[in-house]
């Protein structure tokens, strides 16, 4: 599973940033709970693997969401309410090789 956070939100409190990623990860698992990849992932709770990446800003996050959509990779874009701010996205559990170039410009969140 990949979680992609916006780097430009680093000024937010750390707890708020972590919450955004948790919201996206939980939402994608629930939304796609019938997907075989999700069922397999959640059947072994002791070995769930997530990679948390960063992207530059809202525009790059939205472009990534569009690219995932075009490739047919299920994901959830988390939008913080009531502010209506897209903050991060999470994919269903997939191997990086399945994503092609979608995450090419992302690095590990620091």
């Amino acid at each position: 599973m990949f979680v992609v956070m916006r780097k430009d939100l680093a000024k937010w409190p750390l707890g708020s940033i972590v919450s955004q990623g948790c919201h996206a990860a939980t939402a994608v698992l629930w939304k796609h709970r019938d997907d075989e990849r999700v069922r397999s992932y959640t059947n072994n709770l002791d070995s769930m693997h997530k990679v948390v990446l960063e992207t530059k800003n809202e525009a790059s996050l939205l472009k990534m969401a569009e690219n995932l959509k075009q490739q047919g990779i299920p994901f959830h874009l988390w939008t913080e309410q009531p502010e209506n701010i897209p903050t991060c996205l999470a994919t269903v559990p997939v191997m990086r090789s399945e994503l092609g170039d979608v995450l090419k410009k992302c690095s590990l969140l620091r």
Side-chain angles (χ1 to χ4, degrees):
M1 172 182 281
F2 292 89
V3 179
V4 183
M5 312 291 298
R6 284 177 44 189
K7 185 174 183 164
D8 65 326
L9 298 180
K11 61 188 176 278
W12 287 21
L14 181 57
S16 296
I17 293 171
V18 172
S19 292
Q20 301 303 302
C22 292
H23 292 325
T26 303
V28 76
L29 291 175
W30 181 252
K31 229 167 94 173
H32 299 284
R33 61 191 172 276
D34 294 328
D35 186 300
E36 182 55 39
R37 295 166 290 194
V38 171
R39 283 190 291 199
S40 176
Y41 182 78
T42 56
N43 278 337
N44 193 353
L45 297 177
D46 292 332
S47 66
M48 295 176 136
H49 182 77
K50 291 174 188 62
V51 178
V52 183
L53 303 171
E54 65 184 23
T55 192
K56 187 176 179 181
N57 54 31
E58 182 177 339
S60 63
L61 182 70
L62 295 176
K63 182 176 181 179
M64 188 175 305
E66 183 58 36
N67 289 341
L68 286 167
K69 188 176 183 180
Q70 288 177 0
Q71 289 195 19
I73 298 168
F75 69 96
H76 185 82
L77 176 66
W78 186 260
T79 302
E80 182 63 11
Q81 297 298 335
E83 299 87 353
N84 204 37
I85 300 170
T87 58
C88 61
L89 64 77
T91 68
V92 294
V94 291
M95 300 299 291
R96 191 172 193 136
S97 60
E98 295 175 58
L99 298 174
D101 290 340
V102 174
L103 302 179
K104 188 170 121 180
K105 295 183 180 179
C106 294
S107 57
L108 290 175
L109 178 67
R110 299 189 197 305

